[in-house]
Amino acid sequence: CGLIEALRARVPDPAVTDLRTLWSILTEGESSSWWRTRRRSMRRSSDPRRTGPVIARDTSLYGREPLLARIRGNFDRLRDGRGRVLLITGEAGIGKTRLLSESLERLERDGEDFHFLFGSYAPSTGVSEAGAVLHAYHGFLGEADLEAGLTDYLADAPLLREPLRAFLSGTAEGGETSRTGFDLVQRGLIQLTHAIAAERPTVIWIDDLHFASSDGLDLFAALAQAVAGSRVLLVGTLRPTLPPEWTANLVRLEHASECSVPRLGEPDVRRLLSEALASRPLAEELAPGLMQRSDGNPLFLLEVLRALDVQGGLSEDAWRTRLRLSELSTPGTIQR
């Protein structure tokens, strides 16, 4: 059906007007280069780019412009085929996920055309080596098109398709007994990543990397080493709880860097409070106390505000609110 449409099109596909190429399409069927290119084009038109995390946006993003510019600079290098690896580190609630999500939205608003793969590790035991990486690539290829996608992207590496298919479908064996198979999976993922990035610049985001198993960290590190010459921005968001030597070994790569997300300073806390409270005078009055209670952590700051609101503190005048703030216990949602 697709071939007939191409033949009958007002502006025919140049590939189907050449008799030798047309014969190849007819004899090779869906394994032909023309069909693979067509399937890739159809997949691009329905690229599930915005499948990242759902993030609450209580206020605008404050105090992050230098970091946003740095992420944008890393993306811009992809145009010249210079792949980048970026580790975004910071404590819980500091806004790592919000920062990267905002960066991607700005790229889209600027009309940038890119593939997007997203996966996130969960804080649970027994996480397999696949974890977030499995979800990132599986989500990009799609359940229904997994086999066809691997056939298309790994046309030049057929021996890597089966171990990678088993990995992405969750049927691969785990443990040390399958170390050879896991090495094949690494090679397959690297080849797949290069093929995806050959179509257009690609952002791969692995969230909560600090929850990854040792195999998950090895897989991320293998991808990090392999993207230097591809149009790939590989991003890992994590808390600073991983072994320092793992992070140090990664950022030693010439194309890798670490981006630490700091706490907000008091000027940015005042701006955030002005928006959240819809009152600049009240924000100015409360900023010192809230700054002390939250340590400049955006999530903690908003949770303290919610606790005050629940107790009716924000409906009173400033001095009573300050008094209630001094008596407020740390909300259970942010106790460390």
Side-chain angles (χ1 to χ4, degrees):
C1 180
L3 179 58
I4 294 174
E5 290 176 357
L7 288 168
R8 297 178 63 184
R10 179 174 298 179
V11 181
D13 185 339
V16 300
T17 59
D18 177 77
L19 291 179
R20 181 174 297 178
T21 304
L22 180 58
W23 176 252
S24 175
I25 295 171
L26 292 172
T27 55
E28 297 178 19
E30 293 192 1
S31 63
S32 68
S33 175
W34 184 85
W35 271 110
R36 292 200 305 270
T37 301
R38 181 178 176 83
R39 282 196 297 267
R40 287 187 182 187
S41 178
M42 294 173 64
R43 190 176 295 113
R44 286 198 301 269
S45 67
S46 58
D47 187 4
R49 183 176 304 167
R50 302 311 304 158
T51 55
V54 177
I55 303 171
R57 288 172 167 80
D58 299 283
T59 68
S60 303
L61 193 63
Y62 292 102
R64 304 307 189 208
E65 287 302 325
L67 300 180
L68 290 167
R70 184 172 175 184
I71 295 171
R72 178 61 194 241
N74 276 266
F75 179 85
D76 288 342
R77 293 189 180 188
L78 303 187
R79 295 193 183 93
D80 300 326
R82 293 182 293 172
R84 301 293 300 169
V85 179
L86 186 59
L87 295 181
I88 299 179
T89 61
E91 64 191 68
I94 204 66
K96 303 180 295 295
T97 303
R98 173 76 189 277
L99 172 69
L100 190 54
S101 183
E102 179 74 19
S103 296
L104 295 175
E105 290 178 0
R106 291 190 179 193
L107 289 173
E108 289 182 337
R109 289 198 298 270
D110 291 344
E112 296 290 351
D113 189 26
F114 61 97
H115 282 312
F116 175 59
L117 287 72
F118 172 79
S120 179
Y121 281 102
S124 59
T125 57
V127 178
S128 71
E129 68 275 3
V133 178
L134 181 152
H135 295 296
Y137 286 83
H138 191 280
F140 174 78
L141 295 171
E143 179 70 41
D145 296 330
L146 180 59
E147 193 78 38
L150 290 176
T151 299
D152 294 343
Y153 284 114
L154 297 180
D156 298 329
L159 296 180
L160 297 177
R161 290 181 208 156
E162 180 52 33
L164 192 54
R165 185 204 61 78
F167 171 78
L168 293 175
S169 62
T171 60
E173 295 181 2
E176 291 299 323
T177 57
S178 63
R179 182 65 5 189
T180 301
F182 187 57
D183 290 342
L184 287 175
V185 165
Q186 283 192 359
R187 290 173 55 194
L189 275 179
I190 290 170
Q191 189 85 0
L192 176 59
T193 303
H194 289 165
I196 292 172
E199 288 185 337
R200 56 180 171 176
T202 300
V203 177
I204 304 173
W205 174 8
I206 305 301
D207 199 24
D208 286 338
L209 195 57
H210 49 278
F211 291 133
S213 66
S214 58
D215 280 334
L217 294 177
D218 288 346
L219 201 52
F220 187 92
L223 286 172
Q225 294 183 51
V227 303
S230 294
R231 296 184 301 171
V232 176
L233 174 57
L234 176 64
V235 184
T237 48
L238 63 150
R239 298 175 193 169
T241 56
L242 285 177
E245 58 271 17
W246 184 87
T247 304
N249 287 334
L250 206 62
V251 298
R252 284 195 189 101
L253 297 173
E254 187 176 350
H255 60 288
S257 60
E258 183 178 4
C259 178
S260 180
V261 183
R263 297 174 180 178
L264 297 179
E266 190 162 332
D268 289 314
V269 168
R270 292 176 186 274
R271 294 169 61 206
L272 187 153
L273 288 175
S274 293
E275 180 182 346
L277 299 172
S279 171
R280 184 171 180 178
L282 183 57
E284 293 291 332
E285 288 281 353
L286 297 180
L290 287 169
M291 180 73 185
Q292 184 178 17
R293 294 299 299 271
S294 67
D295 287 333
N297 184 300
L299 176 63
F300 295 178
L301 177 62
L302 292 170
E303 288 299 325
V304 172
L305 280 181
R306 290 190 185 97
L308 281 172
D309 195 28
V310 167
Q311 295 188 14
L314 295 178
S315 63
E316 301 174 358
D317 54 34
W319 76 268
R320 289 186 182 276
T321 302
R322 290 200 305 273
L323 177 61
R324 193 175 291 274
L325 177 62
S326 67
E327 298 171 347
L328 182 70
S329 59
T330 303
T333 53
I334 63 172
Q335 287 180 0
R336 306 183 215 189

